[in-house]
């Protein structure tokens, strides 16, 4: 895998220690773990292997990945593996993309209460779609969906929202037939928005009554039940953003889309422009511009860049990809098989790959010199030096 000229890991390695010292006591254990993992990723600190080409004999040392879900470098392979596992679930029908976004003020509460409020965002958005779709006046069917949580905007500010991919139809209430939606149209976004608003606010009130919310700064007074209810009242009348994007071109387009969204992190290495002890520059998209080139370069103080990146560290064990309804994990395979039968579609053929040492030792990436198959000839643990040091790669003439 080619290395980018500048990576988030470079910024953390060079300026992370100073950030930790300057913010001692204000960086959570989860955030410190993420910083350490990204700093160690693909370095001697994690061990690795020596790979050799079976064709031309080229060798190189490859260090292990940290596999942290917040690491920009590790998410490409993770997304690829996840998508291969999901390919068999795709149906030969139209798919739709919905986005559920929290108002900015409520997003502040979400940052202080990530596990509770992000969980509520997942639950209320899924319940919204399930309820409206089951209404006989709408679709009148049981639907399924895959939801992905993003907590950032293009400038890495805190902007929690859920991306939802929904098949364009569902099972009838008695489960005997497939109910298809209108071509190019799934459900009314205004109807979705108003139910989502009600379900989320009711859920937020329930969390407050249960003592599950914490407040800080100028919102610390919201610990009082009456003050919180009064503060929340105006949000019951404002329009909440639920956005429906045009339907995908087909199952292949769904896969391509999901591969970009499921394992995305706050910023990719490709967006970085420059970094030093004072400033980090990166590309961002200005959505306020309706026409023309939206791409700009933003410059932040290095400490502010690190702070914004760490805003999006999720609680340990919190799932950012979830499946609901017909696609819920416990019944997904059974439901997919039933829907395929109703649609008259063939099941996706799965190749049986024998588990052998040869397969396990074969790398997916080809030889960088000749394109041949690379095999692992030695592995070494953290702190160890490989016995067969790989020779330097040949320089192009």
């Amino acid at each position: 895998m080619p290395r980018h000229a500048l990576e988030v890991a470079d910024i953390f390695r060079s300026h992370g220690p100073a950030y930790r010292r300057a913010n001692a006591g204000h960086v959570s254990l989860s955030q410190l773990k993420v910083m350490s993992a990204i700093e160690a990723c693909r370095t001697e600190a994690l061990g690795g292997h020596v790979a050799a080409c079976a064709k031309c004999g080229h060798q190189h040392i490859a260090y292990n990945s940290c596999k942290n879900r917040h690491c920009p470098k590790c998410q490409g392979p993770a997304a690829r593996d996840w998508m291969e596992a999901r390919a068999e679930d795709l149906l030969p029908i139209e798919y739709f993309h919905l986005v559920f976004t929290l108002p900015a003020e409520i997003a502040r509460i979400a940052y202080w209460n990530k596990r509770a409020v992000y969980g509520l965002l997942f639950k209320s958005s899924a319940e919204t779609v399930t309820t409206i779709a089951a209404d006989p006046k709408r679709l009148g069917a049981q639907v399924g969906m895959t939801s992905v949580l993003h907590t950032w905007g293009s400038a890495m500010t805190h902007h929690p929202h859920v991306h939802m991919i929904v098949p364009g139809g569902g099972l009838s209430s008695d489960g005997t037939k497939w109910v298809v939606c209108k071509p190019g149209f799934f459900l009314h976004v205004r109807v979705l928005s108003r139910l989502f608003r009600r379900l989320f606010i009711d859920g937020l009130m329930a969390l407050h009554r249960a003592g599950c919310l914490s407040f800080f700064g100028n919102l610390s007074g919201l610990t009082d039940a009456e003050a919180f209810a009064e503060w929340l009242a105006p949000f019951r009348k404002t329009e909440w953003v639920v956005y429906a994007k045009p339907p995908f071109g087909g199952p292949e387009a769904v896969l391509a889309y999901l591969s970009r969204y499921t394992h995305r992190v706050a910023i990719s290495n490709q967006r970085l422009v420059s970094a030093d002890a004072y400033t980090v520059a990166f590309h961002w998209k200005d959505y306020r511009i309706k026409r023309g080139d939206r791409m700009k370069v933003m410059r932040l103080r290095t400490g502010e860049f690190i702070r914004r990146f760490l805003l999006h560290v999720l609680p340990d064990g919190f799932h950012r990809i979830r499946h609901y309804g017909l696609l819920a994990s416990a019944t997904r395979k059974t439901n997919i098989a039933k829907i395929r039968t109703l649609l008259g579609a063939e099941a996706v053929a799965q190749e049986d790959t024998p588990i052998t040492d040869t397969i396990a030792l074969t790398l997916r990436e080809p030889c960088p010199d000749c394109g041949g198959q690379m095999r692992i000839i030695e592995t070494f643990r953290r702190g160890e030096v490989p016995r067969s040091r790989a020779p330097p790669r040949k320089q192009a003439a």
Side-chain angles (χ1 to χ4, degrees), residues 26-183:
H26 299 283
V27 186
S28 70
L29 179 59
S30 295
Q31 292 172 330
L32 291 173
K33 287 180 179 179
V34 168
M35 292 183 73
S36 297
I38 293 176
E39 290 166 356
C41 188
R42 311 281 176 93
T43 69
E44 307 87 16
L46 298 182
H49 61 263
V50 180
C53 177
K55 187 176 180 182
C56 72
H58 165 79
Q59 292 185 18
H60 64 241
I61 294 175
Y63 296 109
N64 291 333
S65 303
C66 67
K67 293 183 172 59
N68 189 285
R69 59 178 170 170
H70 301 92
C71 176
K73 199 184 304 185
C74 290
Q75 294 316 294
R80 180 180 59 195
D81 294 342
W82 189 86
M83 289 314 305
E84 288 179 357
R86 295 280 75 77
E88 62 186 89
D89 296 339
L90 288 175
L91 298 167
I93 57 175
E94 199 170 42
Y95 279 78
F96 293 83
H97 175 199
L98 305 177
V99 183
F100 292 80
T101 303
L102 293 182
E105 283 299 310
I106 291 180
R108 291 182 63 192
I109 298 175
Y111 177 69
W112 297 324
N113 304 276
K114 290 183 177 180
R115 188 180 298 276
V117 180
Y118 291 168
L120 177 60
L121 174 57
F122 268 121
K123 179 182 177 181
S124 55
S125 58
E127 186 177 346
T128 295
V129 174
T130 301
T131 301
I132 299 299
D135 186 347
K137 297 179 181 178
R138 306 295 175 181
L139 184 63
Q142 309 168 58
V143 296
M145 64 216 72
T146 294
S147 298
V148 183
L149 174 69
H150 285 183
T151 62
W152 55 85
S154 185
M156 293 201 302
T157 51
H158 189 230
H159 178 62
H161 54 285
V162 160
H163 292 268
M164 185 181 292
I165 309 302
V166 190
L171 287 177
S172 59
S173 57
D174 59 5
T176 60
K177 62 179 181 178
W178 178 256
V179 180
V180 66
C181 65
K182 298 177 183 178

Side-chain angles (χ1 to χ4, degrees), residues 2 132 140 199-200 237 313 316 337 358 365 382:
I132 299 299
L199 291 175
F200 188 91
K237 300 177 182 178
V313 171
D316 293 342
T358 301
E365 291 77 16
R382 61 179 65 199

Side-chain angles (χ1 to χ4, degrees), residues 172-222:
S172 59
S173 57
D174 59 5
T176 60
K177 62 179 181 178
W178 178 256
V179 180
V180 66
C181 65
K182 298 177 183 178
F185 177 83
F186 184 55
L187 297 170
H188 285 282
V189 292
R190 177 161 291 187
V191 175
L192 292 171
S193 173
R194 291 179 177 177
L195 180 57
F196 171 58
R197 177 182 63 189
R198 178 170 66 80
L199 291 175
F200 188 91
I201 290 177
D202 288 350
L204 201 60
M205 290 292 293
L207 288 173
H208 191 282
R209 289 193 296 270
C212 298
L213 300 179
S214 300
F215 302 92
F216 302 92
N218 62 351
L219 296 183
S220 57
L222 297 184

